[in-house]
Amino acid sequence: MKERLGVAAVLALLLTKPALAHSPIMGIGGVAGGILHALLIPEHGMSLLALGLALGQLEKPERRTGILIFVAVLTGALVAAAFAVGEAMAADVLLATTGILGLLIVTLWTPTYLVWAFAAIVGLTIGLDSRPEVDSNEEVIRMLVGSGLGAAISLAIVAEVSFLLRSNALRIVARVMGSWITAIAILVLSLRIVTQMTVG
Amino acid sequence: MELRIGICHRPAPGTLSPAWIAIVLLASAFAPTHAFAHSEQGAAIDFWGGFTHPIFGPDHVIAMVAVGLWGAFLGPPAIWLLPVVFPLVMAVAGALGVLGLPLRGVETGIALSAIMLGAMVAGAVKPPLWVAALLVGAFAVFHGYAHGVELPVGADAIAFSMGFVIATGTLHLCGIAFGALSHWRAGRIAVRLAGVVIAVIGVGFLTGFA
């Protein structure tokens, strides 16, 4: 039953519906809007899923340390985002990192230090890429706090749930998800490159 | 809650059970058509557009199903390895197509993939795992490239790609589900017959009859 719930939760995260890029969700602002922002941006949802699946391959102390590293770096990056620092490349780096994480999951090769490094990179890029497009500074801060909470809570849930995917049959589910994540990242990056070349 | 209608007699005459109401509501949820707000040449470039992209190409559909069928026929670890290899190679080849790099014989390669994969299933061929993975990967190049060339530039790239990859994986799962019948004698015959049908359709694509 727990395993079924786990698979359902991970699939639900994978199937998050796309939100308009970095615009506040109509009618929902503040911390709640920030939490939804973190969950409904497909790039963020997919990277959290990938990192959670990778962290789920680690033992409990290493997994929790990885989550703490993510939260610490994410917090710093959100502060930087409040000052509109470093947003330019964050989305592309996040996608590339997610693609590599997907490959690690496919091969089930998840060395602790490497996963921790990816936790830091994902935390940094999600934080920098989370600045909402609103005018009020107070609203920006409230939404960034919400984004941080949403990202941290979802990562913790996915990591703990994906720990359940360590049975042989469900590891296959993780591998398949990893391959899908990498495939999506490759396609999106190539589409973005061509779009940038075309649009200029 | 019970709705009274004239034609239903279960669980009590003239009533509709909660299970039926749930089914109707679920069906209604799937019923709405999608708005083509972000569209290019009439094709939606959102999640749904990506999801339907491989499904509306019969030459792709039969090959993806054949990958799943063959994987199921070969058993573990091929049952998951082949559907993992295919999207990875397909995405790389798709990126080449998106970037506009040239590749010859794409349509021939796609038709050959149906013929070869169908023949493998029909003949119950069990090569070494690496040979099967190599063969599936090689054919994924043609499918991925063909999709990549057709992918619309701009718009909601990640939603489109998500739909696209998930649809491909779902087609593999359909093949695996049908291929699971090969555990039984009659099912094994049915799966091999499906392989024959796929190969014949592939010949149709190659010769231009399909």
Side-chain angles (χ1 to χ4, degrees), chain A residues 15 18 42-43 46 106 172 175-176 179-180 182-184 186-188 190-191 194-195, chain B residues 80 84 87-88 91 95 98-99 152-154 156 158-159 161-162 164-166 169:
Chain A
L15 292 172
E43 290 96 327
M46 196 170 76
V106 167
I172 292 173
R175 283 182 193 266
V176 171
S179 72
W180 289 7
T182 302
I184 291 166
I186 292 170
L187 283 172
V188 174
S190 60
L191 277 168
V194 171
T195 303
Chain B
W80 61 264
V84 162
L88 288 175
V98 169
L99 295 171
V153 175
D156 198 349
I158 191 154
S161 302
M162 274 182 168
F164 179 80
V165 171
I166 290 171

PDB file of all heavy atoms in Angstrom, chain A residues 15 18 42-43 46 106 172 175-176 179-180 182-184 186-188 190-191 194-195, chain B residues 80 84 87-88 91 95 98-99 152-154 156 158-159 161-162 164-166 169:
ATOM      1  N   LEU A  15       3.397  14.754 -13.216  1.00  0.00           N
ATOM      2  CA  LEU A  15       2.358  15.254 -14.115  1.00  0.00           C
ATOM      3  C   LEU A  15       1.855  16.644 -13.731  1.00  0.00           C
ATOM      4  O   LEU A  15       0.756  17.019 -14.083  1.00  0.00           O
ATOM      5  CB  LEU A  15       1.192  14.267 -14.143  1.00  0.00           C
ATOM      6  CG  LEU A  15       1.524  12.928 -14.812  1.00  0.00           C
ATOM      7  CD1 LEU A  15       0.390  11.951 -14.621  1.00  0.00           C
ATOM      8  CD2 LEU A  15       1.830  13.111 -16.273  1.00  0.00           C
ATOM      9  N   PRO A  18       1.687  22.709 -16.373  1.00  0.00           N
ATOM     10  CA  PRO A  18       2.530  23.881 -16.547  1.00  0.00           C
ATOM     11  C   PRO A  18       1.838  25.167 -16.112  1.00  0.00           C
ATOM     12  O   PRO A  18       0.661  25.353 -16.366  1.00  0.00           O
ATOM     13  CB  PRO A  18       2.775  23.906 -18.056  1.00  0.00           C
ATOM     14  CG  PRO A  18       1.659  23.129 -18.643  1.00  0.00           C
ATOM     15  CD  PRO A  18       1.282  22.113 -17.636  1.00  0.00           C
ATOM     16  N   PRO A  42       6.980  23.606 -14.173  1.00  0.00           N
ATOM     17  CA  PRO A  42       7.392  22.242 -14.534  1.00  0.00           C
ATOM     18  C   PRO A  42       8.888  21.981 -14.351  1.00  0.00           C
ATOM     19  O   PRO A  42       9.266  20.902 -13.900  1.00  0.00           O
ATOM     20  CB  PRO A  42       6.997  22.142 -16.012  1.00  0.00           C
ATOM     21  CG  PRO A  42       5.956  23.165 -16.213  1.00  0.00           C
ATOM     22  CD  PRO A  42       6.256  24.272 -15.266  1.00  0.00           C
ATOM     23  N   GLU A  43       9.735  22.961 -14.709  1.00  0.00           N
ATOM     24  CA  GLU A  43      11.186  22.751 -14.554  1.00  0.00           C
ATOM     25  C   GLU A  43      11.533  22.474 -13.099  1.00  0.00           C
ATOM     26  O   GLU A  43      12.339  21.597 -12.787  1.00  0.00           O
ATOM     27  CB  GLU A  43      11.976  23.989 -15.008  1.00  0.00           C
ATOM     28  CG  GLU A  43      11.960  24.240 -16.490  1.00  0.00           C
ATOM     29  CD  GLU A  43      10.893  25.243 -16.886  1.00  0.00           C
ATOM     30  OE1 GLU A  43       9.827  25.265 -16.218  1.00  0.00           O
ATOM     31  OE2 GLU A  43      11.107  25.986 -17.849  1.00  0.00           O
ATOM     32  N   MET A  46      10.116  19.049 -11.968  1.00  0.00           N
ATOM     33  CA  MET A  46      10.877  17.934 -12.530  1.00  0.00           C
ATOM     34  C   MET A  46      12.242  17.790 -11.851  1.00  0.00           C
ATOM     35  O   MET A  46      12.706  16.682 -11.578  1.00  0.00           O
ATOM     36  CB  MET A  46      11.057  18.146 -14.036  1.00  0.00           C
ATOM     37  CG  MET A  46      11.489  16.908 -14.773  1.00  0.00           C
ATOM     38  SD  MET A  46      11.410  17.127 -16.555  1.00  0.00           S
ATOM     39  CE  MET A  46      12.854  18.142 -16.858  1.00  0.00           C
ATOM     40  N   VAL A 106      18.922   6.529 -13.834  1.00  0.00           N
ATOM     41  CA  VAL A 106      18.826   5.402 -14.784  1.00  0.00           C
ATOM     42  C   VAL A 106      19.864   4.338 -14.435  1.00  0.00           C
ATOM     43  O   VAL A 106      19.569   3.148 -14.408  1.00  0.00           O
ATOM     44  CB  VAL A 106      19.052   5.899 -16.234  1.00  0.00           C
ATOM     45  CG1 VAL A 106      19.269   4.724 -17.176  1.00  0.00           C
ATOM     46  CG2 VAL A 106      17.860   6.719 -16.705  1.00  0.00           C
ATOM     47  N   ILE A 172      12.863  -0.216 -10.919  1.00  0.00           N
ATOM     48  CA  ILE A 172      12.654  -0.130 -12.372  1.00  0.00           C
ATOM     49  C   ILE A 172      11.824   1.108 -12.697  1.00  0.00           C
ATOM     50  O   ILE A 172      12.100   1.830 -13.657  1.00  0.00           O
ATOM     51  CB  ILE A 172      11.977  -1.416 -12.892  1.00  0.00           C
ATOM     52  CG1 ILE A 172      12.950  -2.581 -12.755  1.00  0.00           C
ATOM     53  CG2 ILE A 172      11.534  -1.257 -14.330  1.00  0.00           C
ATOM     54  CD1 ILE A 172      12.350  -3.935 -13.073  1.00  0.00           C
ATOM     55  N   ARG A 175      14.109   3.971 -12.580  1.00  0.00           N
ATOM     56  CA  ARG A 175      14.970   4.028 -13.768  1.00  0.00           C
ATOM     57  C   ARG A 175      14.207   4.603 -14.966  1.00  0.00           C
ATOM     58  O   ARG A 175      14.731   5.434 -15.711  1.00  0.00           O
ATOM     59  CB  ARG A 175      15.453   2.619 -14.130  1.00  0.00           C
ATOM     60  CG  ARG A 175      16.561   2.074 -13.261  1.00  0.00           C
ATOM     61  CD  ARG A 175      16.915   0.703 -13.806  1.00  0.00           C
ATOM     62  NE  ARG A 175      17.739  -0.110 -12.959  1.00  0.00           N
ATOM     63  CZ  ARG A 175      19.081  -0.177 -13.038  1.00  0.00           C
ATOM     64  NH1 ARG A 175      19.720   0.575 -13.899  1.00  0.00           N
ATOM     65  NH2 ARG A 175      19.768  -0.984 -12.264  1.00  0.00           N
ATOM     66  N   VAL A 176      12.971   4.116 -15.155  1.00  0.00           N
ATOM     67  CA  VAL A 176      12.164   4.602 -16.290  1.00  0.00           C
ATOM     68  C   VAL A 176      11.916   6.104 -16.140  1.00  0.00           C
ATOM     69  O   VAL A 176      12.057   6.872 -17.099  1.00  0.00           O
ATOM     70  CB  VAL A 176      10.828   3.823 -16.378  1.00  0.00           C
ATOM     71  CG1 VAL A 176       9.893   4.455 -17.382  1.00  0.00           C
ATOM     72  CG2 VAL A 176      11.093   2.370 -16.746  1.00  0.00           C
ATOM     73  N   SER A 179      14.951   8.028 -17.072  1.00  0.00           N
ATOM     74  CA  SER A 179      15.157   8.140 -18.526  1.00  0.00           C
ATOM     75  C   SER A 179      14.215   9.179 -19.120  1.00  0.00           C
ATOM     76  O   SER A 179      14.596   9.942 -20.016  1.00  0.00           O
ATOM     77  CB  SER A 179      14.960   6.782 -19.205  1.00  0.00           C
ATOM     78  OG  SER A 179      13.600   6.408 -19.225  1.00  0.00           O
ATOM     79  N   TRP A 180      12.993   9.231 -18.607  1.00  0.00           N
ATOM     80  CA  TRP A 180      12.039  10.229 -19.112  1.00  0.00           C
ATOM     81  C   TRP A 180      12.522  11.638 -18.750  1.00  0.00           C
ATOM     82  O   TRP A 180      12.447  12.561 -19.571  1.00  0.00           O
ATOM     83  CB  TRP A 180      10.655   9.999 -18.501  1.00  0.00           C
ATOM     84  CG  TRP A 180       9.950   8.776 -19.010  1.00  0.00           C
ATOM     85  CD1 TRP A 180      10.478   7.811 -19.830  1.00  0.00           C
ATOM     86  CD2 TRP A 180       8.603   8.379 -18.748  1.00  0.00           C
ATOM     87  NE1 TRP A 180       9.545   6.831 -20.063  1.00  0.00           N
ATOM     88  CE2 TRP A 180       8.394   7.154 -19.424  1.00  0.00           C
ATOM     89  CE3 TRP A 180       7.567   8.928 -18.006  1.00  0.00           C
ATOM     90  CZ2 TRP A 180       7.163   6.483 -19.382  1.00  0.00           C
ATOM     91  CZ3 TRP A 180       6.343   8.252 -17.963  1.00  0.00           C
ATOM     92  CH2 TRP A 180       6.155   7.050 -18.645  1.00  0.00           C
ATOM     93  N   THR A 182      15.589  12.704 -18.202  1.00  0.00           N
ATOM     94  CA  THR A 182      16.732  13.087 -19.035  1.00  0.00           C
ATOM     95  C   THR A 182      16.279  13.411 -20.455  1.00  0.00           C
ATOM     96  O   THR A 182      16.725  14.407 -21.048  1.00  0.00           O
ATOM     97  CB  THR A 182      17.783  11.955 -19.061  1.00  0.00           C
ATOM     98  OG1 THR A 182      18.185  11.689 -17.718  1.00  0.00           O
ATOM     99  CG2 THR A 182      18.992  12.345 -19.880  1.00  0.00           C
ATOM    100  N   ALA A 183      15.387  12.579 -20.988  1.00  0.00           N
ATOM    101  CA  ALA A 183      14.902  12.812 -22.359  1.00  0.00           C
ATOM    102  C   ALA A 183      14.204  14.173 -22.455  1.00  0.00           C
ATOM    103  O   ALA A 183      14.433  14.936 -23.403  1.00  0.00           O
ATOM    104  CB  ALA A 183      13.944  11.696 -22.765  1.00  0.00           C
ATOM    105  N   ILE A 184      13.386  14.491 -21.471  1.00  0.00           N
ATOM    106  CA  ILE A 184      12.675  15.783 -21.469  1.00  0.00           C
ATOM    107  C   ILE A 184      13.684  16.933 -21.400  1.00  0.00           C
ATOM    108  O   ILE A 184      13.584  17.912 -22.145  1.00  0.00           O
ATOM    109  CB  ILE A 184      11.686  15.860 -20.287  1.00  0.00           C
ATOM    110  CG1 ILE A 184      10.522  14.890 -20.507  1.00  0.00           C
ATOM    111  CG2 ILE A 184      11.141  17.284 -20.115  1.00  0.00           C
ATOM    112  CD1 ILE A 184       9.671  14.651 -19.264  1.00  0.00           C
ATOM    113  N   ILE A 186      16.821  16.993 -22.337  1.00  0.00           N
ATOM    114  CA  ILE A 186      17.559  17.133 -23.609  1.00  0.00           C
ATOM    115  C   ILE A 186      16.701  17.857 -24.646  1.00  0.00           C
ATOM    116  O   ILE A 186      17.153  18.785 -25.320  1.00  0.00           O
ATOM    117  CB  ILE A 186      17.974  15.740 -24.147  1.00  0.00           C
ATOM    118  CG1 ILE A 186      19.040  15.113 -23.234  1.00  0.00           C
ATOM    119  CG2 ILE A 186      18.508  15.842 -25.571  1.00  0.00           C
ATOM    120  CD1 ILE A 186      19.336  13.647 -23.544  1.00  0.00           C
ATOM    121  N   LEU A 187      15.435  17.432 -24.761  1.00  0.00           N
ATOM    122  CA  LEU A 187      14.552  18.042 -25.763  1.00  0.00           C
ATOM    123  C   LEU A 187      14.321  19.526 -25.476  1.00  0.00           C
ATOM    124  O   LEU A 187      14.369  20.364 -26.380  1.00  0.00           O
ATOM    125  CB  LEU A 187      13.211  17.302 -25.792  1.00  0.00           C
ATOM    126  CG  LEU A 187      13.214  15.956 -26.518  1.00  0.00           C
ATOM    127  CD1 LEU A 187      11.898  15.232 -26.308  1.00  0.00           C
ATOM    128  CD2 LEU A 187      13.469  16.154 -28.008  1.00  0.00           C
ATOM    129  N   VAL A 188      14.077  19.841 -24.200  1.00  0.00           N
ATOM    130  CA  VAL A 188      13.780  21.230 -23.853  1.00  0.00           C
ATOM    131  C   VAL A 188      15.002  22.118 -24.093  1.00  0.00           C
ATOM    132  O   VAL A 188      14.892  23.219 -24.645  1.00  0.00           O
ATOM    133  CB  VAL A 188      13.323  21.351 -22.380  1.00  0.00           C
ATOM    134  CG1 VAL A 188      13.149  22.800 -21.987  1.00  0.00           C
ATOM    135  CG2 VAL A 188      12.013  20.614 -22.194  1.00  0.00           C
ATOM    136  N   SER A 190      17.434  21.635 -26.212  1.00  0.00           N
ATOM    137  CA  SER A 190      17.652  21.841 -27.646  1.00  0.00           C
ATOM    138  C   SER A 190      16.630  22.809 -28.219  1.00  0.00           C
ATOM    139  O   SER A 190      16.958  23.671 -29.038  1.00  0.00           O
ATOM    140  CB  SER A 190      17.623  20.509 -28.393  1.00  0.00           C
ATOM    141  OG  SER A 190      16.377  19.886 -28.218  1.00  0.00           O
ATOM    142  N   LEU A 191      15.357  22.682 -27.757  1.00  0.00           N
ATOM    143  CA  LEU A 191      14.325  23.617 -28.240  1.00  0.00           C
ATOM    144  C   LEU A 191      14.656  25.054 -27.819  1.00  0.00           C
ATOM    145  O   LEU A 191      14.454  25.995 -28.581  1.00  0.00           O
ATOM    146  CB  LEU A 191      12.957  23.211 -27.690  1.00  0.00           C
ATOM    147  CG  LEU A 191      12.219  22.104 -28.451  1.00  0.00           C
ATOM    148  CD1 LEU A 191      11.037  21.597 -27.658  1.00  0.00           C
ATOM    149  CD2 LEU A 191      11.754  22.587 -29.815  1.00  0.00           C
ATOM    150  N   VAL A 194      17.506  26.465 -30.000  1.00  0.00           N
ATOM    151  CA  VAL A 194      17.027  26.861 -31.337  1.00  0.00           C
ATOM    152  C   VAL A 194      16.145  28.106 -31.241  1.00  0.00           C
ATOM    153  O   VAL A 194      16.237  29.008 -32.089  1.00  0.00           O
ATOM    154  CB  VAL A 194      16.263  25.688 -31.994  1.00  0.00           C
ATOM    155  CG1 VAL A 194      15.580  26.140 -33.269  1.00  0.00           C
ATOM    156  CG2 VAL A 194      17.219  24.569 -32.302  1.00  0.00           C
ATOM    157  N   THR A 195      15.317  28.170 -30.191  1.00  0.00           N
ATOM    158  CA  THR A 195      14.461  29.349 -30.027  1.00  0.00           C
ATOM    159  C   THR A 195      15.310  30.607 -29.847  1.00  0.00           C
ATOM    160  O   THR A 195      15.044  31.649 -30.451  1.00  0.00           O
ATOM    161  CB  THR A 195      13.535  29.176 -28.812  1.00  0.00           C
ATOM    162  OG1 THR A 195      12.770  27.992 -29.001  1.00  0.00           O
ATOM    163  CG2 THR A 195      12.592  30.347 -28.655  1.00  0.00           C
TER     164      THR A 195
ATOM    165  N   TRP B  80      12.745  -3.638 -19.054  1.00  0.00           N
ATOM    166  CA  TRP B  80      12.850  -2.213 -18.692  1.00  0.00           C
ATOM    167  C   TRP B  80      14.000  -1.525 -19.423  1.00  0.00           C
ATOM    168  O   TRP B  80      13.952  -0.318 -19.645  1.00  0.00           O
ATOM    169  CB  TRP B  80      12.979  -2.023 -17.179  1.00  0.00           C
ATOM    170  CG  TRP B  80      14.199  -2.656 -16.561  1.00  0.00           C
ATOM    171  CD1 TRP B  80      14.266  -3.875 -15.966  1.00  0.00           C
ATOM    172  CD2 TRP B  80      15.517  -2.102 -16.488  1.00  0.00           C
ATOM    173  NE1 TRP B  80      15.535  -4.123 -15.529  1.00  0.00           N
ATOM    174  CE2 TRP B  80      16.336  -3.053 -15.829  1.00  0.00           C
ATOM    175  CE3 TRP B  80      16.098  -0.905 -16.914  1.00  0.00           C
ATOM    176  CZ2 TRP B  80      17.688  -2.849 -15.588  1.00  0.00           C
ATOM    177  CZ3 TRP B  80      17.442  -0.698 -16.674  1.00  0.00           C
ATOM    178  CH2 TRP B  80      18.228  -1.663 -16.011  1.00  0.00           C
ATOM    179  N   VAL B  84      13.968   2.077 -21.603  1.00  0.00           N
ATOM    180  CA  VAL B  84      14.799   3.146 -21.038  1.00  0.00           C
ATOM    181  C   VAL B  84      15.756   3.686 -22.110  1.00  0.00           C
ATOM    182  O   VAL B  84      15.969   4.890 -22.230  1.00  0.00           O
ATOM    183  CB  VAL B  84      15.584   2.632 -19.799  1.00  0.00           C
ATOM    184  CG1 VAL B  84      16.752   3.536 -19.471  1.00  0.00           C
ATOM    185  CG2 VAL B  84      14.658   2.545 -18.595  1.00  0.00           C
ATOM    186  N   PRO B  87      13.844   6.167 -25.172  1.00  0.00           N
ATOM    187  CA  PRO B  87      13.633   7.618 -25.032  1.00  0.00           C
ATOM    188  C   PRO B  87      14.920   8.417 -24.908  1.00  0.00           C
ATOM    189  O   PRO B  87      14.989   9.558 -25.377  1.00  0.00           O
ATOM    190  CB  PRO B  87      12.774   7.744 -23.762  1.00  0.00           C
ATOM    191  CG  PRO B  87      12.923   6.474 -23.048  1.00  0.00           C
ATOM    192  CD  PRO B  87      13.228   5.428 -24.071  1.00  0.00           C
ATOM    193  N   LEU B  88      15.953   7.803 -24.298  1.00  0.00           N
ATOM    194  CA  LEU B  88      17.220   8.534 -24.156  1.00  0.00           C
ATOM    195  C   LEU B  88      17.844   8.805 -25.524  1.00  0.00           C
ATOM    196  O   LEU B  88      18.216   9.947 -25.834  1.00  0.00           O
ATOM    197  CB  LEU B  88      18.195   7.735 -23.273  1.00  0.00           C
ATOM    198  CG  LEU B  88      17.864   7.680 -21.779  1.00  0.00           C
ATOM    199  CD1 LEU B  88      18.829   6.780 -21.044  1.00  0.00           C
ATOM    200  CD2 LEU B  88      17.892   9.083 -21.181  1.00  0.00           C
ATOM    201  N   ALA B  91      15.693  11.183 -27.597  1.00  0.00           N
ATOM    202  CA  ALA B  91      15.812  12.598 -27.243  1.00  0.00           C
ATOM    203  C   ALA B  91      17.070  13.214 -27.840  1.00  0.00           C
ATOM    204  O   ALA B  91      17.049  14.352 -28.333  1.00  0.00           O
ATOM    205  CB  ALA B  91      15.823  12.745 -25.726  1.00  0.00           C
ATOM    206  N   ALA B  95      17.093  16.126 -30.522  1.00  0.00           N
ATOM    207  CA  ALA B  95      17.840  17.381 -30.405  1.00  0.00           C
ATOM    208  C   ALA B  95      18.588  17.685 -31.702  1.00  0.00           C
ATOM    209  O   ALA B  95      18.633  18.834 -32.152  1.00  0.00           O
ATOM    210  CB  ALA B  95      18.824  17.300 -29.239  1.00  0.00           C
ATOM    211  N   VAL B  98      16.021  18.990 -34.041  1.00  0.00           N
ATOM    212  CA  VAL B  98      15.636  20.363 -33.679  1.00  0.00           C
ATOM    213  C   VAL B  98      16.718  21.352 -34.137  1.00  0.00           C
ATOM    214  O   VAL B  98      16.417  22.431 -34.651  1.00  0.00           O
ATOM    215  CB  VAL B  98      15.437  20.478 -32.143  1.00  0.00           C
ATOM    216  CG1 VAL B  98      15.300  21.929 -31.729  1.00  0.00           C
ATOM    217  CG2 VAL B  98      14.206  19.693 -31.710  1.00  0.00           C
ATOM    218  N   LEU B  99      17.981  20.949 -33.946  1.00  0.00           N
ATOM    219  CA  LEU B  99      19.093  21.829 -34.320  1.00  0.00           C
ATOM    220  C   LEU B  99      19.306  21.886 -35.835  1.00  0.00           C
ATOM    221  O   LEU B  99      20.115  22.673 -36.322  1.00  0.00           O
ATOM    222  CB  LEU B  99      20.385  21.361 -33.633  1.00  0.00           C
ATOM    223  CG  LEU B  99      20.365  21.460 -32.096  1.00  0.00           C
ATOM    224  CD1 LEU B  99      21.583  20.774 -31.491  1.00  0.00           C
ATOM    225  CD2 LEU B  99      20.294  22.906 -31.636  1.00  0.00           C
ATOM    226  N   PRO B 152       7.736  22.024 -32.847  1.00  0.00           N
ATOM    227  CA  PRO B 152       7.575  23.455 -33.051  1.00  0.00           C
ATOM    228  C   PRO B 152       8.532  24.248 -32.157  1.00  0.00           C
ATOM    229  O   PRO B 152       8.634  23.975 -30.958  1.00  0.00           O
ATOM    230  CB  PRO B 152       6.125  23.725 -32.645  1.00  0.00           C
ATOM    231  CG  PRO B 152       5.748  22.590 -31.792  1.00  0.00           C
ATOM    232  CD  PRO B 152       6.616  21.434 -32.132  1.00  0.00           C
ATOM    233  N   VAL B 153       9.220  25.186 -32.759  1.00  0.00           N
ATOM    234  CA  VAL B 153      10.163  26.032 -32.010  1.00  0.00           C
ATOM    235  C   VAL B 153       9.385  27.087 -31.234  1.00  0.00           C
ATOM    236  O   VAL B 153       8.390  27.623 -31.716  1.00  0.00           O
ATOM    237  CB  VAL B 153      11.150  26.700 -32.988  1.00  0.00           C
ATOM    238  CG1 VAL B 153      12.058  27.673 -32.243  1.00  0.00           C
ATOM    239  CG2 VAL B 153      11.986  25.637 -33.675  1.00  0.00           C
ATOM    240  N   GLY B 154       9.843  27.388 -30.036  1.00  0.00           N
ATOM    241  CA  GLY B 154       9.182  28.406 -29.213  1.00  0.00           C
ATOM    242  C   GLY B 154       8.105  27.789 -28.351  1.00  0.00           C
ATOM    243  O   GLY B 154       8.041  26.581 -28.167  1.00  0.00           O
ATOM    244  N   ASP B 156       5.667  26.531 -25.291  1.00  0.00           N
ATOM    245  CA  ASP B 156       5.845  25.870 -24.005  1.00  0.00           C
ATOM    246  C   ASP B 156       6.666  24.594 -24.188  1.00  0.00           C
ATOM    247  O   ASP B 156       6.129  23.494 -24.207  1.00  0.00           O
ATOM    248  CB  ASP B 156       4.469  25.554 -23.425  1.00  0.00           C
ATOM    249  CG  ASP B 156       4.538  25.289 -21.942  1.00  0.00           C
ATOM    250  OD1 ASP B 156       5.666  25.149 -21.428  1.00  0.00           O
ATOM    251  OD2 ASP B 156       3.483  25.233 -21.298  1.00  0.00           O
ATOM    252  N   ILE B 158       8.787  22.857 -22.382  1.00  0.00           N
ATOM    253  CA  ILE B 158       8.875  21.790 -21.372  1.00  0.00           C
ATOM    254  C   ILE B 158       7.565  21.003 -21.289  1.00  0.00           C
ATOM    255  O   ILE B 158       7.580  19.780 -21.182  1.00  0.00           O
ATOM    256  CB  ILE B 158       9.289  22.341 -19.995  1.00  0.00           C
ATOM    257  CG1 ILE B 158       9.618  21.163 -19.070  1.00  0.00           C
ATOM    258  CG2 ILE B 158       8.233  23.227 -19.359  1.00  0.00           C
ATOM    259  CD1 ILE B 158      10.581  21.486 -17.985  1.00  0.00           C
ATOM    260  N   ALA B 159       6.429  21.688 -21.382  1.00  0.00           N
ATOM    261  CA  ALA B 159       5.148  20.974 -21.334  1.00  0.00           C
ATOM    262  C   ALA B 159       5.020  20.069 -22.557  1.00  0.00           C
ATOM    263  O   ALA B 159       4.590  18.914 -22.444  1.00  0.00           O
ATOM    264  CB  ALA B 159       3.997  21.966 -21.276  1.00  0.00           C
ATOM    265  N   SER B 161       7.464  18.782 -24.366  1.00  0.00           N
ATOM    266  CA  SER B 161       8.410  17.669 -24.263  1.00  0.00           C
ATOM    267  C   SER B 161       7.947  16.637 -23.254  1.00  0.00           C
ATOM    268  O   SER B 161       8.123  15.431 -23.451  1.00  0.00           O
ATOM    269  CB  SER B 161       9.795  18.187 -23.876  1.00  0.00           C
ATOM    270  OG  SER B 161      10.242  19.123 -24.811  1.00  0.00           O
ATOM    271  N   MET B 162       7.365  17.111 -22.146  1.00  0.00           N
ATOM    272  CA  MET B 162       6.831  16.180 -21.142  1.00  0.00           C
ATOM    273  C   MET B 162       5.764  15.286 -21.765  1.00  0.00           C
ATOM    274  O   MET B 162       5.788  14.061 -21.612  1.00  0.00           O
ATOM    275  CB  MET B 162       6.214  16.953 -19.973  1.00  0.00           C
ATOM    276  CG  MET B 162       7.189  17.348 -18.910  1.00  0.00           C
ATOM    277  SD  MET B 162       6.282  18.185 -17.582  1.00  0.00           S
ATOM    278  CE  MET B 162       7.540  18.229 -16.313  1.00  0.00           C
ATOM    279  N   PHE B 164       5.268  14.629 -24.883  1.00  0.00           N
ATOM    280  CA  PHE B 164       5.886  13.832 -25.941  1.00  0.00           C
ATOM    281  C   PHE B 164       6.563  12.578 -25.375  1.00  0.00           C
ATOM    282  O   PHE B 164       6.330  11.458 -25.835  1.00  0.00           O
ATOM    283  CB  PHE B 164       6.902  14.749 -26.629  1.00  0.00           C
ATOM    284  CG  PHE B 164       7.673  14.127 -27.723  1.00  0.00           C
ATOM    285  CD1 PHE B 164       7.115  13.986 -28.969  1.00  0.00           C
ATOM    286  CD2 PHE B 164       8.967  13.693 -27.515  1.00  0.00           C
ATOM    287  CE1 PHE B 164       7.843  13.413 -29.995  1.00  0.00           C
ATOM    288  CE2 PHE B 164       9.690  13.123 -28.528  1.00  0.00           C
ATOM    289  CZ  PHE B 164       9.130  12.981 -29.774  1.00  0.00           C
ATOM    290  N   VAL B 165       7.379  12.777 -24.345  1.00  0.00           N
ATOM    291  CA  VAL B 165       8.134  11.656 -23.759  1.00  0.00           C
ATOM    292  C   VAL B 165       7.190  10.700 -23.019  1.00  0.00           C
ATOM    293  O   VAL B 165       7.326   9.482 -23.113  1.00  0.00           O
ATOM    294  CB  VAL B 165       9.233  12.187 -22.819  1.00  0.00           C
ATOM    295  CG1 VAL B 165       9.881  11.045 -22.039  1.00  0.00           C
ATOM    296  CG2 VAL B 165      10.295  12.934 -23.616  1.00  0.00           C
ATOM    297  N   ILE B 166       6.222  11.260 -22.304  1.00  0.00           N
ATOM    298  CA  ILE B 166       5.291  10.406 -21.558  1.00  0.00           C
ATOM    299  C   ILE B 166       4.438   9.570 -22.517  1.00  0.00           C
ATOM    300  O   ILE B 166       4.163   8.396 -22.261  1.00  0.00           O
ATOM    301  CB  ILE B 166       4.419  11.258 -20.607  1.00  0.00           C
ATOM    302  CG1 ILE B 166       5.300  11.787 -19.460  1.00  0.00           C
ATOM    303  CG2 ILE B 166       3.249  10.457 -20.038  1.00  0.00           C
ATOM    304  CD1 ILE B 166       4.637  12.803 -18.566  1.00  0.00           C
ATOM    305  N   GLY B 169       6.582   6.731 -23.705  1.00  0.00           N
ATOM    306  CA  GLY B 169       6.679   5.722 -22.653  1.00  0.00           C
ATOM    307  C   GLY B 169       5.391   4.939 -22.491  1.00  0.00           C
ATOM    308  O   GLY B 169       5.418   3.729 -22.251  1.00  0.00           O
TER     309      GLY B 169
END
